[in-house]
Amino acid sequence: MPVINVHDKKFSPFLSEQEIQQQIKKIAAAINEDYAGMRPMFIAILNGSFMFAADLFKYLTIDAEICFIKLASYKGTTSSGQMFTAIGLDVDLIGKDVIIIEDIVDTGRTLNEFLPKLMHQQPASLKIAALLHKPDAVKFPIRVDYLGFSIPNKFVVGYGLDYDGLGRNLREIYQLV
Ligand code: XMP
Ligand code: MG
């Protein structure tokens, strides 16, 4: 695969379509086993996770529900200076086994803000499935229960992830050169 341009920047191939699908199958197999006989509720965080969520969901053999939310950030008074409000979280999570689907955990700030809000809804359990994690970027440690890849602290695009709106349609993941 060649180096590609997205807007004004160059990206080189990093994870192939096959590697991505292989890891997602492994995550699905683990979830199928861990949640056998249960009916988890997946919450996919848009926009970036739409492809990962769709592929992961296709490999599930257990009964499962899914909903899609968007986290809108606004200026708040927390230490991070950002707070999130969840748009589309219209399902009742009381007593449900919830699995968050995220494209990437970078600093951990997003989930650090969002998870306590979800816990208010009193789910029976709460786990995180993330395709990518940048351990070197972590500022707010998040326990990722199901992880596709630990990656270096470099900006990536493709497979749902964008650089300024573009690159989401790529089947592979590319790294900023
Ligand atoms: P935090 O820092 O809150 O970041 O864990 C999570 C969100 O930031 C976006 N993000 C990226 N998007 N390439 C992208 O296209 C990246 O390398 C990248 N790193 C973080 C993403 O929306 C993620 O949900
Ligand atoms: Mg995202």
Side-chain angles (χ1 to χ4, degrees), residues 6-168:
V6 181
H7 291 296
D8 57 328
K9 298 208 187 318
K10 289 197 187 312
F11 292 84
S12 58
F14 179 51
L15 299 169
S16 69
E17 180 177 11
Q18 200 193 356
E19 286 173 305
I20 294 168
Q21 294 299 321
Q22 208 170 31
Q23 281 306 104
I24 296 174
K25 280 182 196 170
K26 281 190 195 163
I27 293 174
I31 292 174
N32 284 330
E33 192 178 314
D34 295 350
Y35 289 81
M38 300 162 74
R39 190 189 293 177
M41 166 64 79
F42 288 82
I43 301 178
I45 303 179
L46 296 173
N47 293 326
S49 74
F50 76 100
M51 260 195 212
F52 174 41
D55 282 339
L56 178 64
F57 212 67
K58 283 187 271 186
Y59 296 128
L60 295 177
T61 52
I62 51 169
D63 282 348
E65 295 178 78
I66 189 165
C67 68
F68 296 83
I69 65 159
K70 193 152 182 151
L71 297 178
S73 58
Y74 58 93
K75 290 231 161 62
T77 51
T78 61
S79 54
S80 69
Q82 268 205 320
M83 284 165 70
F84 297 93
T85 169
I87 299 167
L89 193 57
D90 45 13
V91 290
D92 189 359
L93 299 180
I94 294 180
K96 295 248 167 125
D97 294 297
V98 173
I99 304 174
I100 306 289
I101 304 181
E102 244 304 26
D103 49 359
I104 181 166
V105 177
D106 192 317
T107 64
R109 177 169 288 159
T110 306
L111 289 180
N112 184 64
E113 292 281 345
F114 182 51
L115 294 181
K117 288 186 181 166
L118 272 191
M119 289 310 290
H120 278 293
Q121 295 213 30
Q122 297 180 299
S125 65
L126 181 58
K127 287 197 177 180
I128 315 291
L131 183 64
L132 306 172
H133 183 33
K134 292 180 180 170
D136 296 340
V138 168
K139 292 201 182 102
F140 305 86
I142 296 291
R143 192 195 68 237
V144 178
D145 302 281
Y146 302 102
L147 176 64
F149 303 90
S150 262
I151 66 168
N153 191 9
K154 285 190 182 174
F155 192 77
V156 288
V157 295
Y159 197 71
L161 292 147
D162 72 304
Y163 165 45
D164 205 8
L166 296 183
R168 294 192 198 275

